[in-house]
Amino acid sequence: MNITRENSDALNAVVKVEITKDDYSDKVEKILTDYRKSANIPGFRKGHVPMNLVKKQYGKAVLVDEVNKLLQDAIGKYLVEEKLDVLGNPLPKPQDDLDWDADAFSFEFELGLAPEFDVKLKGKKAITHYNIVADDKMINNQVEHIQKQYGKLISQDEVSEDSEITGKFSNEDKNIENVATITLDKFKGKTNSKKFIGAKVGDIITLNTKGLFKDDHDLMAFLKVNHEDAHGLDIEVNFEVSEINKRELADLDQDLFDKLFGKGNVTSVTELKERIKTDSEKQFTQQSDQKLLNDVTEYLVEDTKFDLPAEFLQKWMQTAGEEPMSQDQAKEEFEKSEKSIRYQLIEGKLIQEHNLQVQFDDLKAYAIEMIKGQMAQFGQMNPSEKELEDIAARILSNKDEVKRLSEQLMSQKLLELYKAEANLKTKKITYDDFVKEFYS
């Protein structure tokens, strides 16, 4: 067997594989001999079928199969030995005139080569890393939310500004019939909320859904309509009042603190607010880090310039999926995924250059921390080491979970690299302002 390569340019190459009879004949002969021993052909006893008949019936198929196996094995070894960094998979060049009756065969494969490039983490323009803080307004709102959550419901005769009203939304034409509990602050403007003031159990209030709530998505929850129908919904609905309550706020006392955080862990309103601030900002860190990861990714893709073997990749995409693509479909798919391909190459280079690896011990420690966090959400604050080890072992025995956790851990390692090496500036921002700026 002989393998040669000719580079068309820096990103494309053709590999030629020449296979002679010596490469496959022994293997083909052995398989056909085994076939002869077990072949059931009418008119011949088992194991006594003439070899020329076996070759006539099975020879071509065995030859084709063995040559293809040789090809796949040879190409794979060649790429490893030559240390070729390729994109996609080698594409065989079509050979309509291939003569399988010949003794020697020649095959050509197109390769898309990964580009050479440098990655600069420190750009000229600084990337903002947001320090999201919980301000007094947010903390006080959270305190009030806790008081409402743990407060008592007191029945009322009629609706007032601070009532919780339970009733049924209905519209016969749209098959809407849903029981919901609502507060007047959900309504947009005062026109609709005024309709409820003074209402009693049994009263029916007619509302128009257009501009009914401050957030159109509330229509999904209160009317049980899907996302598509909720946007721009303009119909009349009836709301029949079935229950009116006022929520008496829970006292900020030691009983409440113990329910929330365990006995004696919080002993004053000041400590409660500090705990809310700490817990909230811990959650905000995840959002801040995700924003930073997105921004650095965007910067790296835009700043790191290199060409891709676009024509090869589009050709490869035509046959790589479960369903074959047309040339136009492959071009469209390439345009959609080009940024992703570029970042994968950049990420791979950073991982290699900075020797970022996910070791099993790192993965196990990461899994245990994740388990601790999940258990804490359900009030299990002090699980035993054996309990954590057993759960981690079960998780890490699942290949899909190992892949998912490995990707998360590598993202974390890359994030740590970006924080250490990229050109960053820190900006303090409240959570409300962060949401307005980036998610409104």
Side-chain angles (χ1 to χ4, degrees):
M1 185 184 299
N2 186 41
I3 303 180
T4 56
R5 182 178 85 247
E6 184 177 334
N7 288 353
S8 311
D9 53 43
L11 298 173
N12 295 276
V14 174
V15 170
K16 188 174 184 179
V17 183
E18 294 177 341
I19 295 176
T20 66
K21 191 172 183 178
D22 290 341
D23 297 318
Y24 62 80
S25 60
D26 289 348
K27 185 71 173 171
V28 169
E29 196 69 28
K30 183 179 183 307
I31 292 171
L32 291 174
T33 300
D34 291 340
Y35 273 19
R36 186 185 180 208
K37 291 175 185 176
S38 58
N40 286 312
I41 296 179
F44 299 95
R45 282 184 297 146
K46 189 175 180 179
H48 291 273
V49 180
M51 193 60 174
N52 64 338
L53 193 58
V54 172
K55 286 183 177 179
K56 185 177 180 181
Q57 189 156 345
Y58 301 109
K60 187 71 65 70
V62 171
L63 172 66
V64 171
D65 190 47
E66 285 307 307
V67 168
N68 280 325
K69 286 179 183 175
L70 276 171
L71 274 174
Q72 296 306 316
D73 186 53
I75 286 288
K77 284 181 179 177
Y78 179 78
L79 296 180
V80 172
E81 288 168 1
E82 294 293 310
K83 297 179 181 177
L84 289 177
D85 193 3
V86 298
L87 303 180
N89 292 316
L91 284 178
K93 281 193 169 186
Q95 286 181 280
D96 297 331
D97 58 347
L98 185 62
D99 181 10
W100 285 105
D101 291 322
D103 288 338
F105 310 100
S106 180
F107 302 91
E108 291 185 341
F109 293 83
E110 295 179 64
L111 301 183
L113 305 177
E116 294 287 336
F117 58 90
D118 294 318
V119 182
K120 295 179 183 177
L121 278 173
K122 276 196 188 303
K124 291 180 182 178
K125 187 178 178 182
I127 297 169
T128 303
H129 184 203
Y130 292 92
N131 175 20
I132 308 172
V133 296
D135 59 359
D136 290 342
K137 178 187 173 186
M138 181 186 179
I139 293 169
N140 290 333
N141 286 342
Q142 187 62 25
V143 170
E144 186 178 343
H145 174 75
I146 290 169
Q147 286 182 280
K148 285 181 178 178
Q149 186 179 359
Y150 288 87
K152 295 177 183 176
L153 283 177
I154 300 171
S155 180
Q156 291 181 294
D157 293 328
E158 59 181 48
V159 175
S160 59
E161 287 280 355
D162 53 0
S163 295
E164 289 186 11
I165 312 127
T166 300
K168 182 167 68 176
F169 284 102
S170 61
N171 177 291
E172 192 174 338
D173 293 338
K174 292 287 185 179
N175 294 318
I176 293 170
E177 192 170 339
N178 187 57
V179 175
T181 298
I182 195 164
T183 52
L184 298 186
D185 60 346
K186 288 287 184 181
F187 293 113
K188 186 176 182 180
K190 294 182 179 179
T191 304
N192 288 308
S193 57
K194 280 182 179 178
K195 292 181 181 180
F196 283 83
I197 300 298
K200 296 178 173 60
V201 171
D203 287 353
I204 296 175
I205 299 158
T206 301
L207 304 160
N208 191 289
T209 58
K210 187 176 181 180
L212 180 59
F213 298 115
K214 292 175 181 175
D215 184 350
D216 278 349
H217 291 94
D218 282 340
L219 290 169
M220 296 167 63
F222 293 128
L223 273 61
K224 283 290 180 284
V225 295
N226 62 41
H227 187 272
E228 190 176 325
D229 289 339
H231 285 282
L233 187 66
D234 187 4
I235 59 171
E236 283 193 343
V237 290
N238 290 327
F239 183 88
E240 184 176 357
V241 180
S242 59
E243 193 177 332
I244 307 165
N245 295 297
K246 179 179 179 180
R247 190 171 289 272
E248 185 180 86
L249 298 181
D251 291 331
L252 296 173
D253 57 17
Q254 194 59 48
D255 284 343
L256 179 61
F257 302 153
D258 290 347
K259 280 180 188 175
L260 292 169
F261 303 107
K263 193 168 180 63
N265 289 319
V266 170
T267 58
S268 67
V269 174
T270 300
E271 287 182 16
L272 170 66
K273 290 184 175 183
E274 286 172 357
R275 183 65 178 262
I276 290 171
K277 181 177 174 66
T278 301
D279 291 349
S280 297
E281 290 179 354
K282 195 180 290 184
Q283 292 179 0
F284 298 160
T285 298
Q286 295 174 359
Q287 295 184 53
S288 171
D289 283 350
Q290 187 59 55
K291 178 76 173 83
L292 177 63
L293 198 59
N294 293 345
D295 288 347
V296 174
T297 298
E298 192 69 27
Y299 153 72
L300 288 172
V301 170
E302 293 299 322
D303 187 73
T304 311
K305 305 295 183 185
F306 54 82
D307 292 327
L308 289 170
E311 188 178 333
F312 168 85
L313 287 171
Q314 289 172 46
K315 200 184 293 185
W316 171 69
M317 285 176 176
Q318 284 183 256
T319 58
E322 291 181 9
E323 295 290 331
M325 290 185 187
S326 68
Q327 192 172 341
D328 289 341
Q329 286 173 323
K331 183 179 180 183
E332 185 181 345
E333 183 62 28
F334 173 74
E335 288 169 355
K336 282 182 193 173
S337 57
E338 184 178 357
K339 273 192 175 183
S340 174
I341 295 169
R342 289 181 177 279
Y343 182 67
Q344 284 174 18
L345 289 169
I346 294 166
E347 186 183 87
K349 193 169 186 69
L350 288 171
I351 289 169
Q352 183 183 23
E353 287 182 350
H354 295 272
N355 196 28
L356 302 180
Q357 297 177 11
V358 174
Q359 306 286 0
F360 181 78
D361 287 345
D362 296 335
L363 196 60
K364 183 179 174 183
Y366 182 75
I368 286 174
E369 285 304 310
M370 179 193 72
I371 295 161
K372 280 183 183 176
Q374 290 176 346
M375 292 178 80
Q377 290 177 7
F378 294 96
Q380 295 174 270
M381 307 303 293
N382 296 301
S384 66
E385 276 191 37
K386 184 178 185 310
E387 198 174 1
L388 291 169
E389 291 273 350
D390 288 347
I391 298 172
R394 285 200 299 273
I395 290 172
L396 297 176
S397 66
N398 183 310
K399 287 182 181 179
D400 291 337
E401 281 298 300
V402 169
K403 183 175 182 292
R404 184 178 68 84
L405 292 176
S406 296
E407 288 171 353
Q408 288 180 2
L409 186 51
M410 182 53 74
S411 284
Q412 189 172 298
K413 287 177 178 285
L414 285 164
L415 183 64
E416 288 166 4
L417 173 68
Y418 298 156
K419 286 180 179 179
E421 300 290 337
N423 182 10
L424 305 180
K425 62 179 180 182
T426 303
K427 179 180 177 180
K428 188 178 283 190
I429 190 171
T430 66
Y431 181 71
D432 283 347
D433 287 342
F434 180 79
V435 170
K436 283 176 190 173
E437 191 166 342
F438 300 110
Y439 298 109
S440 296

